[in-house]
């Protein structure tokens, strides 16, 4: 297998998903990639006021697209995240948008707070003197929709993934995404040094990231929808403008997985899930609700 290095430049980044955008790198299944991405804003310097790689960007600054030989719709792309190394600084911005949630919380533009984080030695320390433990992951890992045109990077999508923002996708995880277009055309970025479930202000510890990953093709996955194996356990996802529907999607996919794992009927799977499966709000910031279901590996055993 071959190892590839891909760094962000004017020729290797995008701010939209587009099936007709030419790939910046083509790899074989099983190849290893070392991909560097800038923060979601595409900052070139060590602060939020520095120049950006994409001026007037329409979405996240993502590295890619990356083509995978032999990838076709109907297959699953498996993204094995081997390591994630954040840059040495990051930021968090609150009250950047005039939206319903911010108004409900009593924060609006004009009262914006911007935190600067110094990242080192497993933690991030901000300009107010607060520290958080690092748990780095990529907010965006995804492929373009099958439909022609330029598509926003902001909402997550059931097919192809995108701006999933799931904090469980740390190093050691394998993310499985339904392939939407020939050769997959994977884009990634939106590094987060740390984030709580929900990403409640719309940003996490936003930072550049160097990610070591392996891309593989899976023809017969255990379930047909987006899912992952992570250090926290098995994870399934739901995405919808309605929180109830997003929750039902995530839980339904987990029941499918439990049925396949344990050879039980659907109602029994639901009964077994209730004591051990967590439903978590992945993010509330991206036009589409995200919910993920988590089944810890050691939570349900046979005796």
């Amino acid at each position: 297998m071959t190892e590839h290095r891909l760094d962000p430049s004017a020729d290797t980044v995008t701010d939209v998903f587009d099936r007709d955008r030419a790939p910046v790198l083509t790899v074989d299944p099983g190849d290893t990639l070392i991909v560097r991405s800038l923060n979601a804003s595409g900052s070139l310097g060590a602060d939020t006021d520095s120049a950006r790689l994409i001026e007037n960007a329409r979405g996240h600054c993502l590295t890619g697209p990356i083509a995978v030989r032999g990838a076709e719709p109907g297959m699953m792309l498996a993204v094995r995240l081997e390591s994630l190394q954040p840059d040495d600084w990051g930021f968090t911005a609150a009250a950047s948008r005039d939206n319903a949630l911010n108004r409900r919380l009593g924060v609006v533009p004009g009262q914006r707070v911007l935190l600067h984080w110094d990242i080192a030695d497993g933690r991030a320390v901000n300009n107010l003197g607060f520290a958080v433990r690092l748990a780095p992951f990529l907010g965006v890992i995804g492929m373009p929709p099958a439909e022609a045109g330029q598509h926003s990077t902001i909402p997550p999508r059931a097919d192809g993934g995108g701006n999933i923002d799931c904090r469980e996708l740390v190093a050691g995880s394998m993310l499985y995404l339904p392939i939407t277009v020939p050769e997959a055309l994977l884009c990634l970025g939106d590094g987060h040094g740390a984030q709580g479930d929900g990403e409640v202000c719309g940003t996490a510890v936003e930072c550049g990231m160097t990610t070591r990953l392996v891309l593989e093709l899976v023809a017969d996955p255990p379930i047909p929808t987006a899912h992952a194996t992570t250090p926290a356990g098995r994870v399934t996802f739901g995405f919808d403008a309605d929180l109830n529907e997003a929750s039902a999607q995530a839980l339904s996919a987990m029941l499918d997985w439990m049925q396949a794992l344990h050879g039980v009927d659907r109602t029994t799977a639901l009964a077994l899930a209730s004591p051990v499966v967590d439903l978590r709000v992945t993010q509330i910031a991206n036009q589409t609700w995200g919910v993920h279901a988590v089944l810890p590996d050691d939570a349900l055993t046979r005796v």
Side-chain angles (χ1 to χ4, degrees):
M1 299 295 109
T2 304
E3 183 172 288
H4 308 266
R5 172 89 192 196
L6 184 60
D7 289 298
S9 71
D11 297 325
T12 63
V13 300
T14 181
D15 60 347
V16 294
F17 287 114
D18 185 348
R19 73 177 193 186
D20 295 318
R21 181 176 173 83
V24 300
L25 175 68
T26 299
V27 303
D28 289 309
D31 283 358
T32 298
L33 292 82
I34 300 172
V35 180
R36 172 151 162 68
S37 54
L38 301 177
N39 64 29
S41 299
S43 301
L44 290 168
D47 61 70
T48 56
D49 294 326
S50 66
R52 298 182 179 186
L53 189 53
I54 304 176
E55 293 295 339
N56 303 312
R58 294 160 287 182
H60 304 82
C61 180
L62 304 178
T63 306
I66 301 164
V68 183
R69 292 186 182 92
E72 294 290 344
M75 297 178 178
M76 193 78 74
L77 182 68
V79 182
R80 174 154 35 101
L81 298 165
E82 294 192 339
S83 66
L84 296 113
Q85 179 59 51
D87 285 358
D88 59 5
W89 76 279
F91 73 90
T92 304
S96 296
R97 304 171 186 167
D98 185 7
N99 57 28
L101 178 61
N102 280 340
R103 290 193 296 272
R104 171 63 180 82
L105 297 175
V107 293
V108 294
Q111 301 173 345
R112 183 171 180 260
V113 168
L114 182 66
L115 302 178
H116 179 100
W117 301 86
D118 292 316
I119 298 173
D121 301 324
R123 68 176 188 168
V125 180
N126 68 30
N127 52 298
L128 301 180
F130 293 94
V132 299
R133 290 187 298 274
L134 294 180
F137 71 97
L138 294 174
V140 180
I141 304 174
M143 294 166 275
E147 296 76 22
Q150 297 180 336
H151 300 267
S152 173
T153 69
I154 294 173
R157 297 175 174 91
D159 288 334
N163 193 20
I164 297 174
D165 277 336
C166 180
R167 65 181 297 207
E168 308 300 348
L169 297 175
V170 296
S173 299
M174 180 84 91
L175 173 64
Y176 298 85
L177 295 172
I179 294 173
T180 50
V181 295
E183 295 194 307
L185 300 181
L186 183 73
C187 299
L188 54 84
D190 187 27
H192 293 166
Q195 179 201 291
D197 286 328
E199 196 183 21
V200 294
C201 80
T203 55
V205 176
E206 305 288 328
C207 59
M209 193 78 71
T210 300
T211 305
R212 182 182 177 91
L213 66 153
V214 177
L215 300 178
E216 300 173 358
L217 299 178
V218 178
D220 187 24
I223 57 175
T225 55
H227 59 285
T229 56
T230 76
R234 291 179 169 86
V235 177
T236 55
F237 302 97
F239 309 114
D240 198 85
D242 182 277
L243 178 61
N244 292 323
E245 175 59 24
S247 300
Q249 289 177 13
L251 180 56
S252 180
M254 183 58 76
L255 296 184
D256 290 342
W257 207 348
M258 293 177 71
Q259 285 183 261
L261 283 170
H262 300 295
V264 298
D265 62 52
R266 194 160 185 80
T267 306
T268 301
L270 179 60
L272 290 170
S274 198
V276 293
V277 170
D278 292 318
L279 280 183
R280 300 175 182 166
V281 176
T282 319
Q283 56 76 23
I284 62 175
N286 299 313
Q287 303 171 2
T288 300
W289 285 92
V291 174
H292 60 286
V294 182
L295 173 62
D297 291 333
D298 59 353
L300 186 66
T301 59
R302 287 186 182 270
V303 295

